[in-house]
């Protein structure tokens, strides 16, 4: 048990060191004449953002259907079927949208990042990079982290609309509600705080997922097997951290 | 084979200021992996323009020694000077300036798999001289690739070329910035005899004409004696023998002789019992 604990704290400290290193290379080094690698950033934004749109749409669409049906049952009892739109909108914007998008990104892109960086570590590519005087954090981590942090809120917003569309389908075609009323209730109930708290969550989740993925890629040890092990660890840690930080953030927004 | 590393260590000056000609100096380098002393007090000096050949059995710590020299790992004990700076003390930023003078060829080649061979060679040039026009970079890449006979493959990805070709492309990349110091980990493994000779001639030419100092890890004795101006033989993390090729050839230790002649290590086993005891015995 003590050994597990020690190893856990070792991971936490080295993760924090990598994270601060990342912050330096992302935000301070451009002022010291180290140019941001814009081409790499756009490439990663395509890989992480654009290529994830379809799966985020799919997942969020089904989530909208489910939410509408689940809430309809209860709302029917109090005669509030018209509120389905508002409920779906608020639930998805504040909570389910950011979280589900982050989980999709962890499974789809986080795993890919860990596997890619881990394979580079095993093939001595990261060492080669270092001996050429190129900083792997600057070269590999910063574009990936920034790409995910930029793309996650965009994906979340798109996904929220998709979920609301799913809810609308149920509302109109199964619950016989007015097609226009659904949208009016939805935007009536959606407050500005819901939007910004959802966006802040999304940014925090993306920061965690991308940094965890890069960290587990960098520490790979022991060949192809090590890459597999690290990839699993990366996804599991990301998902746990998403939900844990969600709890903290929700409490924060609830009490302020 | 119990070697006495002391004799060899004593032939090297232990410490004191680094001489004007010393490019690489290692002093009492110790590296420990999980309690195992993989390098156990390694000392040597390399002068400008010399080719140091590191030899030794598989797993004796040659690649590990190289990793300490190029600063990828910090030794647990000991000091290393490269080109006048003590790299075991440098900060990351100071070290980058030393690294610009390096060319490193890894045992596995370590080409970037996401880029073509040409881009691999161009990468260090583009990064360290960002204002070069593409034309110049192109010409430099072609020159380096032609040194290793890889010009017509520059558009291929590393996954599409053979192991020996990867080694040659990696060598071209190591030479991209015209390094003053060249570190090669088994450069000739996987090459055909003609290519081995070509590599040897290339290394000799670089060192003679351009004053490059090279450290080459190799298992190939012919190649080692052809290029080496100074040799060290490692055994179980210690320096077993060190000296010029002539000194190594005339080394008194029978183990060293056996190693360079490639003779088998142990005598023919007498009977099945002692053989069993050997492999099952207290290890
Ligand atoms: N990351 C590591 N963790 C633990 N032990 C290691 C590690 N890397 C190398 N070793 C050990 O260090 C010793 C020396 O390894 P090294 O790679 O330097 O051998 P080598 O002399 O280059 O062998 P070869 O000629 O086969 O390349 C080996 O016994 C190996 O088990
Ligand atoms: Mg080796």
């Amino acid at each position: 048990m003590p050994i597990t604990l020690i190893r856990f704290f070792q991971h936490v400290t080295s993760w924090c060191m990598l994270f601060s290193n990342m912050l330096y290379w992302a935000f301070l080094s451009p002022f010291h004449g180290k140019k941001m690698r814009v081409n790499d950033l756009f490439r990663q934004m395509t890989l992480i953002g654009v290529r994830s749109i379809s799966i985020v749409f799919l997942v969020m669409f089904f989530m909208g259907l489910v939410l509408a049906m689940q809430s309809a049952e209860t709302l029917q009892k109090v005669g509030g079927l018209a509120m389905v739109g508002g409920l779906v909108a608020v639930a998805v914007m504040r909570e389910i949208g950011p979280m589900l998008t982050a989980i999709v990104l962890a499974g789809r892109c986080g795993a890919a990042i860990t596997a890619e960086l881990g394979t580079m570590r095993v093939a001595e590519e990261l060492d080669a990079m270092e001996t050429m005087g190129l900083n792997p954090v600057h070269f590999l981590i910063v574009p990936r982290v920034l790409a995910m942090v930029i793309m996650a809120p965009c994906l979340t917003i798109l996904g929220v609309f998709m979920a609301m569309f799913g809810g609308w389908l149920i509302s109109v075609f199964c619950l016989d509600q007015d097609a226009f009323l659904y949208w009016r209730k939805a935007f009536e109930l959606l407050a500005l705080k819901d939007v910004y708290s959802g966006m802040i969550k999304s940014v925090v989740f993306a920061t965690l997922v991308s940094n965890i993925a890069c960290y587990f890629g960098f520490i790979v040890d022991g060949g192809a097997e090590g890459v597999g092990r690290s990839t699993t660890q990366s996804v599991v840690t990301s998902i746990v951290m998403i939900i844990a930080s969600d709890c903290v953030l929700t409490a924060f927004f609830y009490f302020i | 084979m119990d070697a006495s590393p002391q004799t060899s260590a004593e032939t090297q000056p232990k410490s004191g200021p680094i001489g004007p000609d010393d490019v690489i100096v290692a002093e009492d380098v110790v590296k420990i992996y999980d309690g195992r002393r993989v390098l156990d007090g390694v000392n040597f000096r390399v002068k400008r323009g010399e080719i140091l050949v590191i030899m030794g059995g598989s797993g004796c710590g040659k690649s590990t020694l190289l990793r300490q020299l190029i600063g990828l790992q910090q030794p647990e004990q000991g000091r290393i000077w490269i080109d006048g700076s003590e790299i075991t003390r440098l900060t990351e930023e100071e070290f980058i300036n030393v690294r610009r003078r390096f060319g490193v060829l890894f045992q596995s080649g370590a080409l970037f798999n996401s880029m073509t061979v040409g881009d691999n060679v161009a990468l260090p040039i583009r990064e360290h001289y960002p204002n070069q026009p593409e034309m110049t970079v192109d010409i430099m890449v072609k020159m380096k690739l032609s040194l290793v006979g890889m010009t017509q493959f520059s558009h291929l990805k590393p996954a599409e070329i053979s192991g020996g070709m990867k080694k040659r492309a990696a060598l071209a990349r190591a030479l991209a910035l015209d390094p003053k110091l060249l570190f090669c980990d088994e450069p000739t493994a996987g090459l055909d005899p003609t290519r081995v000779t070509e590599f040897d001639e290339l290394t000799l030419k670089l060192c003679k004409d351009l004053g490059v100092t090279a450290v080459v890890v190799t298992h190939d004795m012919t190649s080692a004696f052809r290029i080496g101006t100074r040799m060290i033989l490692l055994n179980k993390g210690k320096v077993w023998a060190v000296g010029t090729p002539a000194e190594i050839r005339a080394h008194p230790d029978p183990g060293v002789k056996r190693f360079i002649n490639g003779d088998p290590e142990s005598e023919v086993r007498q009977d099945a019992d002692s053989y069993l005891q050997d492999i099952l015995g207290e290890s």
Side-chain angles (χ1 to χ4, degrees), chain B residues 235-250:
Chain B
N235 183 33
K236 294 180 188 150
K238 295 192 194 247
V239 177
W240 196 7
V242 59
T244 60
E247 282 168 5
I248 295 285
R249 273 217 180 84

Tab-separated table of all heavy atoms in Angstrom, chain B residues 235-250:
chain	number	residue	atom	x	y	z
B	235	ASN	N	33.521	-4.315	-20.179
B	235	ASN	CA	33.064	-5.613	-19.714
B	235	ASN	C	32.384	-5.417	-18.378
B	235	ASN	O	32.972	-4.884	-17.449
B	235	ASN	CB	34.247	-6.569	-19.579
B	235	ASN	CG	33.786	-7.946	-19.172
B	235	ASN	OD1	32.704	-8.361	-19.549
B	235	ASN	ND2	34.605	-8.628	-18.395
B	236	LYS	N	31.135	-5.813	-18.287
B	236	LYS	CA	30.360	-5.684	-17.054
B	236	LYS	C	30.450	-4.283	-16.472
B	236	LYS	O	30.648	-4.093	-15.282
B	236	LYS	CB	30.831	-6.702	-16.019
B	236	LYS	CG	30.536	-8.122	-16.467
B	236	LYS	CD	30.992	-9.128	-15.445
B	236	LYS	CE	30.865	-10.532	-15.983
B	236	LYS	NZ	31.869	-11.436	-15.422
B	237	GLY	N	30.351	-3.291	-17.316
B	237	GLY	CA	30.292	-1.922	-16.846
B	237	GLY	C	31.634	-1.305	-16.507
B	237	GLY	O	31.694	-0.166	-16.083
B	238	LYS	N	32.709	-2.070	-16.651
B	238	LYS	CA	34.016	-1.487	-16.364
B	238	LYS	C	34.848	-1.439	-17.635
B	238	LYS	O	34.591	-2.202	-18.566
B	238	LYS	CB	34.758	-2.345	-15.332
B	238	LYS	CG	34.066	-2.342	-14.002
B	238	LYS	CD	34.958	-2.948	-12.948
B	238	LYS	CE	34.157	-3.271	-11.711
B	238	LYS	NZ	34.483	-2.495	-10.556
B	239	VAL	N	35.834	-0.542	-17.632
B	239	VAL	CA	36.751	-0.494	-18.768
B	239	VAL	C	37.716	-1.661	-18.632
B	239	VAL	O	38.429	-1.782	-17.647
B	239	VAL	CB	37.526	0.840	-18.802
B	239	VAL	CG1	38.504	0.824	-19.945
B	239	VAL	CG2	36.560	1.985	-18.929
B	240	TRP	N	37.692	-2.509	-19.624
B	240	TRP	CA	38.492	-3.719	-19.561
B	240	TRP	C	39.861	-3.441	-20.167
B	240	TRP	O	40.890	-3.847	-19.657
B	240	TRP	CB	37.750	-4.784	-20.363
B	240	TRP	CG	38.187	-6.185	-20.134
B	240	TRP	CD1	39.080	-6.632	-19.208
B	240	TRP	CD2	37.729	-7.316	-20.859
B	240	TRP	NE1	39.197	-7.986	-19.299
B	240	TRP	CE2	38.371	-8.423	-20.311
B	240	TRP	CE3	36.832	-7.498	-21.909
B	240	TRP	CZ2	38.164	-9.711	-20.798
B	240	TRP	CZ3	36.623	-8.761	-22.380
B	240	TRP	CH2	37.278	-9.870	-21.826
B	241	ALA	N	39.833	-2.726	-21.274
B	241	ALA	CA	41.084	-2.381	-21.935
B	241	ALA	C	40.873	-1.075	-22.656
B	241	ALA	O	39.778	-0.780	-23.111
B	241	ALA	CB	41.468	-3.464	-22.925
B	242	VAL	N	41.931	-0.278	-22.739
B	242	VAL	CA	41.811	0.985	-23.456
B	242	VAL	C	43.152	1.278	-24.102
B	242	VAL	O	44.194	0.903	-23.580
B	242	VAL	CB	41.378	2.123	-22.503
B	242	VAL	CG1	42.375	2.303	-21.386
B	242	VAL	CG2	41.183	3.427	-23.245
B	243	GLY	N	43.114	1.912	-25.259
B	243	GLY	CA	44.380	2.252	-25.908
B	243	GLY	C	44.224	2.371	-27.400
B	243	GLY	O	43.119	2.329	-27.933
B	244	THR	N	45.373	2.535	-28.073
B	244	THR	CA	45.352	2.590	-29.529
B	244	THR	C	45.112	1.181	-30.055
B	244	THR	O	45.279	0.209	-29.311
B	244	THR	CB	46.699	3.101	-30.058
B	244	THR	OG1	47.700	2.180	-29.614
B	244	THR	CG2	47.008	4.482	-29.530
B	245	PRO	N	44.736	1.043	-31.331
B	245	PRO	CA	44.500	-0.296	-31.882
B	245	PRO	C	45.690	-1.227	-31.663
B	245	PRO	O	45.515	-2.397	-31.319
B	245	PRO	CB	44.261	-0.017	-33.363
B	245	PRO	CG	43.726	1.349	-33.413
B	245	PRO	CD	44.360	2.089	-32.291
B	246	ALA	N	46.894	-0.687	-31.809
B	246	ALA	CA	48.081	-1.523	-31.621
B	246	ALA	C	48.172	-2.014	-30.183
B	246	ALA	O	48.456	-3.189	-29.925
B	246	ALA	CB	49.329	-0.734	-31.997
B	247	GLU	N	47.884	-1.113	-29.243
B	247	GLU	CA	47.937	-1.503	-27.827
B	247	GLU	C	46.892	-2.557	-27.504
B	247	GLU	O	47.151	-3.468	-26.716
B	247	GLU	CB	47.716	-0.264	-26.940
B	247	GLU	CG	48.936	0.614	-26.809
B	247	GLU	CD	48.602	1.959	-26.175
B	247	GLU	OE1	47.450	2.161	-25.749
B	247	GLU	OE2	49.506	2.798	-26.115
B	248	ILE	N	45.716	-2.413	-28.112
B	248	ILE	CA	44.659	-3.383	-27.848
B	248	ILE	C	45.046	-4.749	-28.414
B	248	ILE	O	44.862	-5.778	-27.765
B	248	ILE	CB	43.330	-2.913	-28.472
B	248	ILE	CG1	42.840	-1.635	-27.790
B	248	ILE	CG2	42.266	-3.999	-28.397
B	248	ILE	CD1	42.262	-1.821	-26.421
B	249	ARG	N	45.625	-4.722	-29.596
B	249	ARG	CA	46.042	-5.994	-30.211
B	249	ARG	C	47.070	-6.706	-29.358
B	249	ARG	O	47.073	-7.926	-29.261
B	249	ARG	CB	46.641	-5.719	-31.597
B	249	ARG	CG	45.601	-5.686	-32.690
B	249	ARG	CD	46.154	-6.305	-33.967
B	249	ARG	NE	45.146	-6.263	-35.024
B	249	ARG	CZ	44.951	-5.201	-35.802
B	249	ARG	NH1	45.706	-4.137	-35.664
B	249	ARG	NH2	44.010	-5.222	-36.721
B	250	ALA	N	47.942	-5.904	-28.740
B	250	ALA	CA	49.029	-6.499	-27.959
B	250	ALA	C	48.681	-6.595	-26.484
B	250	ALA	O	49.561	-6.755	-25.639
B	250	ALA	CB	50.287	-5.653	-28.152
